[in-house]
């Protein structure tokens, strides 16, 4: 079973600043199988990035994903007020057909 | 744009079964996608429960496999979740989501708004 860890748990930043969120896997991943979601308070999660670095439809270009192997990053270049939310990474283990999510990183207003 | 709506009883007694339905907008069932259930206890993270293909094939979270069944009724545009022998640990918001609509096929989008379930006597 692949375990995802995310750091930091909470990121306190101001609007306009750059946010760098980390997702680390317990074993090497195929880049096709790493996605990021945003969840605003009281809302369902929303897909931001899939296959490590591809933005989902309608997602602003200030969001970018990168990484390989066991280390992956979601970067928000300049935080907008609506970006303060919780972010989850997610992977798929093809051999067992099991999905898993990381514990999340909360981006809060400093 | 496909739309998903979860429904079901908000309160279930311990040891009983939880049954939820996800209704999907008409015409959304194609063999290109699958449909998943994900849950989120209050104030906590996301837990994948399982998925089903339009053909009926399923995959489940190993930690829940002995208690969960996901089924599909394409004529009604519905996906169903049944979880037996529930406890307080099963209290959560339950989401359904469409899977496979991305390169690699392992992402979920869109999601329903979720339905809260409380397990309590």
């Amino acid at each position: 079973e692949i375990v995802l860890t995310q750091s930091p748990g909470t990121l306190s930043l101001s609007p306009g600043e750059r946010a760098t969120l980390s997702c680390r896997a317990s074993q090497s991943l195929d880049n096709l199988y790493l996605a990021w979601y945003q969840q605003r308070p009281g809302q369902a999660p929303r897909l931001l990035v899939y296959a490590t670095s591809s933005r989902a439809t309608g997602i602003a270009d200030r969001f970018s994903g990168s990484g390989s192997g066991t280390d992956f990053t979601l970067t928000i270049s300049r935080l907008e007020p609506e970006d303060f939310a919780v972010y989850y990474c997610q992977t798929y283990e093809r051999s067992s057909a099991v999905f898993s999510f990381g514990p999340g990183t909360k981006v809060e207003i400093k | 744009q496909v739309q998903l709506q979860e429904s079901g009883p908000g309160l279930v007694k311990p040891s009983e079964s939880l049954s939820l339905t996800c209704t999907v907008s008409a015409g959304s069932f194609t063999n290109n996608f699958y449909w998943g259930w994900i849950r989120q206890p209050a104030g906590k993270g996301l837990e994948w429960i399982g998925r089903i293909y339009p053909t009926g094939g399923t995959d489940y979270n190993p930690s829940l496999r002995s208690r969960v069944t996901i089924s599909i009724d394409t004529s009604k545009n519905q996906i169903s979740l049944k979880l037996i022998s529930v406890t307080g640990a099963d209290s959560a918001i339950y989401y359904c989501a469409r899977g496979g609509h991305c390169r690699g096929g392992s992402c979920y989008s869109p999601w329903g708004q979720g339905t809260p379930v409380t397990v309590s006597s």
Side-chain angles (χ1 to χ4, degrees), chain B residues 85-109:
Chain B
S85 305
V86 298
T87 70
D90 296 309
S91 297
I93 296 175
Y94 284 74
Y95 297 100
C96 63
R98 183 185 67 176
H101 188 53
C102 60
R103 183 165 55 93
S106 67
C107 66
Y108 285 96
S109 180

Side-chain angles (χ1 to χ4, degrees), chain B residues 19-37:
Chain B
S19 292
L20 301 175
T21 298
C22 175
T23 302
V24 180
S25 49
S28 298
F29 285 159
T30 74
N31 289 333
N32 295 329
F33 307 130
Y34 51 86
W35 306 88
W37 286 97

Side-chain angles (χ1 to χ4, degrees), chain A residues 5-18:
Chain A
T5 56
Q6 292 186 242
S7 60
T10 302
L11 196 52
S12 298
L13 295 168
S14 300
E17 289 193 296
R18 181 184 187 90

Side-chain angles (χ1 to χ4, degrees), chain A residues 37 39 44 54 88 90 92 99, chain B residues 34 40 51 103 106 108 112:
Chain A
Y37 299 82
Q39 187 176 33
S54 296
Y88 295 95
Q90 171 247 303
Y92 173 65
F99 293 79
Chain B
Y34 51 86
Q40 184 173 37
R51 69 169 172 184
R103 183 165 55 93
S106 67
Y108 285 96

Side-chain angles (χ1 to χ4, degrees), chain A residues 28-96:
Chain A
S28 185
L29 303 180
D30 184 325
N31 279 20
L32 282 176
Y33 300 144
L34 194 287
W36 290 91
Y37 299 82
Q38 176 194 65
Q39 187 176 33
R40 294 170 175 154
Q43 296 186 15
R46 175 176 71 141
L47 178 68
L48 294 178
V49 168
Y50 61 90
T52 296
S53 59
S54 296
R55 274 188 300 276
T57 301
I59 300 303
D61 61 7
R62 64 180 180 274
F63 291 94
S64 62
S66 62
S68 65
T70 60
D71 292 312
F72 297 85
T73 301
L74 176 70
T75 301
I76 310 171
S77 59
R78 295 172 307 279
L79 284 164
E80 297 287 340
E82 62 268 27
D83 299 337
F84 291 93
V86 180
Y87 293 83
Y88 295 95
C89 57
Q90 171 247 303
T91 192
Y92 173 65
E93 190 166 5
R94 190 172 179 180
S95 60
S96 58

